């Protein structure tokens, strides 16, 4: 017998700039995601066409219906609704998402919408450096209210920011071009604060404007193991989780910055400017549920800050630059785990740990909105994609969800990344996550045909049997 409750939400996920294409069609404005993808157009596909969902949305929703999805998790492009971020509303943008939402309902698929998935309208960067300004939080509130008013009669599940906790550490996502590391971190801390304020304002607005609306953050979850059982290594691993993820959930939950995070901000002398009147909003703007994005686990050893490794320094591993290390820890390889061809350490048990951990801390409903395996899939001569490795990955993680439910976790749904192949941040269409193959490569769009992968057929059975056949 399946442990998944009867009304469990089986879904699949995507985000606007990674699938829609039509980057400047029907009045859409340029976004930070477009801007950065154009900078790499010579190396990989950019957001101009992506998976062409903007033109093929009907065919794609038909496929989602065939797959049997109960929910579809996607994002609205802010710059399609308000091209310059805080000015005039673009009716064509509203019309597009209305068509998508209505057709999803026609096919019995519930929309599960993210308001902001890495694609800040670029005009706001030109105007006041985006999230560095308080104005950006108010612009976001305005945009969120438009979405709630236009779509809230049908859409009840909302996510505010996708992975604020992760995007904050990636300069490109935040459009931080400051070379000086301390100054960059000061800007980052201020941006983070404004995003928390924007989150709270959006939660308040959703509760006012959307009848029975549920809203929360989508976090990039972390589960960090200590390299050894030395107390310092254990501390480093804990700090990694607290500083990279838990601080964010704690703020959404309590409305206050936790002590361990304030201590870091103070030590580094980068405490953001906070207004007294924000306190009430932060307190009121509590999340209703947590959307969890989970791909892998991490491993850390203790790395005290010193002259060679100052706080906020970056650790270089081969060609890869790791995130800021906050002066506590260093990323390590976990030799007990296999890794994907792109280096993500595969760990279904880690998902069970994460779900239990967040359940113990917050006692809120949770849904997994991203989980998946990026691989260079091959279209074989028989016109198929035999992605058994993806099935194995998803199966093991769904089993971990089932165990977590038995542990008492209130998990309401599972929505893997991604419904279809899409524009991956640094590997374009080389690295694929989809259940549906998009027949294009980075420099040849071909006809962008849709092909069902083996994982599509497998997931179809999982949904049909409510997780009994995994
Ligand atoms: C998540 C993002 O962090 O990771 C997605 O929300 C992203 O937008 C996914 O595509 C996979 O990352 P990447 O870099 O492999 O595309």
């Amino acid at each position: 017998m399946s442990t998944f409750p009867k009304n469990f939400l089986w879904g699949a996920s995507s985000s606007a700039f990674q699938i829609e294409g039509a980057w400047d069609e029907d009045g859409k404005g340029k976004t930070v995601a477009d801007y950065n993808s154009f900078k790499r157009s010579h190396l990989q596909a950019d957001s101009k066409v992506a998976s062409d969902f903007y033109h093929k949305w009907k065919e794609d929703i038909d496929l989602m219906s065939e797959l049997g999805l109960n929910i579809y998790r996607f994002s609205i492009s802010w710059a399609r609704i308000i091209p310059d971020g805080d000015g005039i509303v673009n009716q064509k943008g509203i019309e597009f998402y209305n068509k998508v939402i209505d057709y999803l309902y026609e096919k019995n698929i519930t929309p599960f919408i993210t308001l902001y998935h890495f694609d800040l309208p670029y005009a706001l960067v030109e105007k006041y450096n985006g999230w560095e300004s308080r104005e950006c939080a108010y612009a976001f509130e305005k945009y969120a209210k438009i979405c709630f008013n236009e779509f809230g009669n049908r859409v009840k599940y909302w996510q505010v920011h996708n992975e604020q906790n992760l995007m904050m550490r990636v300069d490109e996502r935040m459009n931080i071009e400051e070379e000086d590391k301390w100054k960059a971190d000061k800007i980052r801390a201020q941006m983070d604060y404004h995003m928390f304020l924007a989150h709270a304002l959006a939660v308040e607005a959703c509760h006012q404007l959307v009848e029975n609306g549920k809203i929360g953050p989508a976090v990039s979850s972390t589960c960090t193991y200590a390299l050894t059982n030395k107390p310092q290594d254990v501390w480093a691993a804990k700090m990694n989780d607290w500083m990279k993820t838990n601080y964010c959930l704690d703020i959404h939950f309590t409305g206050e910055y936790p002590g361990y995070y304030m201590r870091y901000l103070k030590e580094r002398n980068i405490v953001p400017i906070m207004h007294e009147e924000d306190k009430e909003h932060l307190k009121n703007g509590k999340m209703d549920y947590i959307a969890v994005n989970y791909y892998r686990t991490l491993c850390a050893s203790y790395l005290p800050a010193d002259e060679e490794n100052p706080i906020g320094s970056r650790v270089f591993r081969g060609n890869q630059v790791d995130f800021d290390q906050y002066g506590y820890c260093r990323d390590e390889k976990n030799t007990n785990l296999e890794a994907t061809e792109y280096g993500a350490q595969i760990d279904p048990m880690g998902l069970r740990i994460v779900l239990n951990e967040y359940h113990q801390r917050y006692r809120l409903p949770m849904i997994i909105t991203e989980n998946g395996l990026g691989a260079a899939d091959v279209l074989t001569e028989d016109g198929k994609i035999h992605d058994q490795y993806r099935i194995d990955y998803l199966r093991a993680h769904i089993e971990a969800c089932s165990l977590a439910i038995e542990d008492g976790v209130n998990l309401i749904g599972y929505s893997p990344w991604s419904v279809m192949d899409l524009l991956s941040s640094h590997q374009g269409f080389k690295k694929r996550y989809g259940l549906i193959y998009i027949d294009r490569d980075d420099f040849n769009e071909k006809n962008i045909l849709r092909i069902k992968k083996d994982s599509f057929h497998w997931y179809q059975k999982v949904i049909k049997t409510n997780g009994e056949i995994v």
Side-chain angles (χ1 to χ4, degrees):
M1 250 258 302
S2 164
T3 49
F4 293 99
K6 267 209 179 78
N7 54 355
F8 193 72
L9 303 171
W10 295 100
S13 302
S14 73
S15 91
F17 83 94
Q18 293 177 281
I19 62 163
E20 285 180 1
W23 78 278
D24 64 348
E25 213 170 304
D26 291 337
K28 179 181 163 291
K30 187 167 74 176
T31 67
V32 166
D34 294 326
Y35 172 80
N36 284 305
S37 88
F38 298 165
K39 280 211 268 187
R40 269 199 305 276
S41 295
H42 59 295
L43 298 171
Q44 63 174 74
D46 57 30
S47 60
K48 287 191 178 130
V49 176
S51 313
D52 203 21
F53 179 80
Y54 194 74
H55 300 111
K56 295 183 184 262
W57 59 273
K58 207 163 188 198
E59 178 186 346
D60 289 335
I61 295 174
D62 283 337
L63 282 166
M64 292 178 207
S65 163
E66 187 183 336
L67 182 55
L69 298 189
N70 312 134
I71 58 161
Y72 171 42
R73 187 262 192 167
F74 62 102
S75 75
I76 290 181
S77 170
W78 180 350
R80 224 180 256 297
I81 304 292
I82 311 177
D84 70 357
D86 60 2
I88 292 166
V89 174
N90 174 31
Q91 278 311 319
K92 292 257 184 200
I94 305 272
E95 275 164 34
F96 173 67
Y97 293 110
N98 265 332
K99 282 189 296 192
V100 168
I101 292 166
D102 287 343
Y103 197 55
L104 283 168
Y105 271 113
E106 209 178 307
K107 295 286 166 184
N108 289 319
I109 303 170
T110 302
F112 203 101
I113 294 185
T114 313
L115 287 166
Y116 169 49
H117 194 122
F118 304 159
D119 50 358
L120 185 73
Y122 196 74
L124 297 181
V125 172
E126 292 172 322
K127 226 172 181 173
Y128 40 61
N129 201 23
W131 290 108
E132 194 179 356
S133 163
R134 261 182 98 72
E135 293 305 316
C136 199
Y138 296 125
F140 183 78
E141 183 189 22
K142 174 179 166 181
Y143 156 64
K145 283 185 171 167
I146 290 165
C147 292
F148 299 147
N149 281 325
E150 294 288 342
F151 313 121
N153 57 345
R154 287 150 293 157
V155 180
K156 303 296 171 191
Y157 290 110
W158 295 90
Q159 287 152 89
V160 187
H161 309 310
N162 178 66
E163 300 185 347
Q164 172 178 342
N165 61 317
L166 183 139
M167 70 185 284
M168 198 46 64
R169 303 193 306 273
V170 183
D171 288 354
E172 182 184 305
R173 294 267 181 245
M174 301 309 298
N175 224 73
I176 296 176
E177 288 175 339
E178 174 60 57
E179 298 268 304
D180 181 284
K181 288 191 174 87
W182 178 80
K183 283 189 192 151
D185 280 350
K186 192 168 165 58
I187 296 172
R188 192 185 320 283
Q190 191 65 59
M191 288 181 160
D192 209 16
Y193 177 74
H194 290 146
M195 281 185 75
F196 283 122
L197 178 60
H199 188 284
L201 295 172
V203 170
E204 283 182 314
C206 179
H207 289 156
Q208 275 164 12
L209 300 173
V210 182
E211 211 186 322
N212 296 324
K214 297 281 177 227
I215 186 160
V219 287
S220 165
S221 60
T222 49
C223 168
T224 312
Y225 301 119
L227 183 67
T228 73
N229 58 7
K230 276 190 232 153
Q232 286 89 342
D233 285 348
V234 175
W235 173 251
K238 294 253 181 231
M239 284 309 286
N240 200 44
D241 289 341
W242 296 355
M243 304 298 279
K244 285 187 177 163
T245 311
N246 296 10
Y247 86 99
C248 191
L249 288 171
D250 285 354
I251 295 170
H252 292 315
F253 190 63
T254 64
E256 286 172 3
Y257 273 53
Y260 58 85
Y261 203 75
M262 268 317 266
R263 178 191 167 141
Y264 155 73
L265 293 171
K266 281 183 186 155
E267 275 174 2
R268 190 130 172 82
N269 192 20
I270 54 171
V271 177
I273 299 165
M274 306 179 181
H275 289 201
E276 193 54 33
E277 72 261 26
D278 299 345
K279 277 190 182 157
E280 210 184 315
H281 294 297
L282 291 167
K283 282 256 177 234
N284 288 340
K286 285 188 185 159
M287 57 191 178
D288 297 319
Y289 69 91
I290 306 171
V292 176
N293 295 351
Y294 177 92
Y295 289 91
R296 40 123 187 76
T297 47
L298 305 168
C299 184
S301 65
Y302 186 53
L303 176 75
D306 56 21
E307 258 178 40
E308 213 184 312
N309 305 292
I311 290 175
S313 68
R314 294 185 167 252
V315 176
F316 290 85
R317 296 190 169 279
N319 294 330
Q320 201 195 325
V321 185
D322 284 332
F323 299 130
D324 280 327
Q325 298 300 298
Y326 302 103
Y328 295 98
C329 64
R330 181 168 68 196
D331 284 353
E332 302 285 353
K333 191 174 159 52
N334 186 338
T335 49
N336 299 300
L337 297 173
E338 306 249 314
T340 69
E341 60 189 291
Y342 290 99
Q345 305 200 330
I346 302 174
D347 186 4
M349 173 73 100
L351 178 56
R352 186 177 178 188
I353 296 172
V354 159
L355 291 173
N356 271 282
E357 174 98 16
Y358 296 169
H359 175 69
Q360 301 304 331
R361 286 176 79 100
Y362 309 110
R363 301 273 161 178
L364 284 174
M366 279 184 276
I367 176 166
I368 290 164
T369 43
E370 291 188 28
N371 173 232
L373 178 80
D377 296 336
V378 178
L379 178 60
T380 51
E381 274 178 17
D382 57 354
K384 301 217 156 96
I385 297 91
H386 301 300
D387 56 342
Q388 187 57 41
Y389 39 89
R390 181 165 295 108
I391 295 175
D392 294 343
Y393 177 98
L394 295 175
R395 174 185 288 128
H397 287 80
I398 291 174
E399 279 167 357
C401 291
S402 159
L403 291 169
I405 291 172
E406 286 174 14
D407 295 333
V409 171
N410 184 6
L411 186 69
I412 61 167
Y414 175 81
S415 185
W417 187 261
S418 48
V419 67
M420 66 184 81
D421 292 339
L422 42 71
L423 187 66
S424 192
S425 47
H426 285 91
Q427 289 88 9
F429 278 83
K430 275 179 219 71
K431 187 198 217 176
R432 295 166 181 271
Y433 286 88
L435 301 162
I436 300 166
Y437 186 84
I438 301 294
D439 190 17
R440 64 159 294 177
D441 55 39
D442 278 337
F443 300 109
N444 184 355
E445 282 152 24
K446 305 187 201 167
N447 291 319
I448 321 194
L449 286 179
R450 276 67 178 135
I451 302 170
K452 292 171 249 175
K453 300 185 190 176
D454 286 359
S455 56
F456 178 101
H457 299 290
W458 167 81
Y459 191 50
Q460 195 178 40
K461 279 192 215 125
V462 174
I463 299 177
K464 214 177 208 155
T465 61
N466 197 28
E468 224 165 286
I469 297 180
V470 182

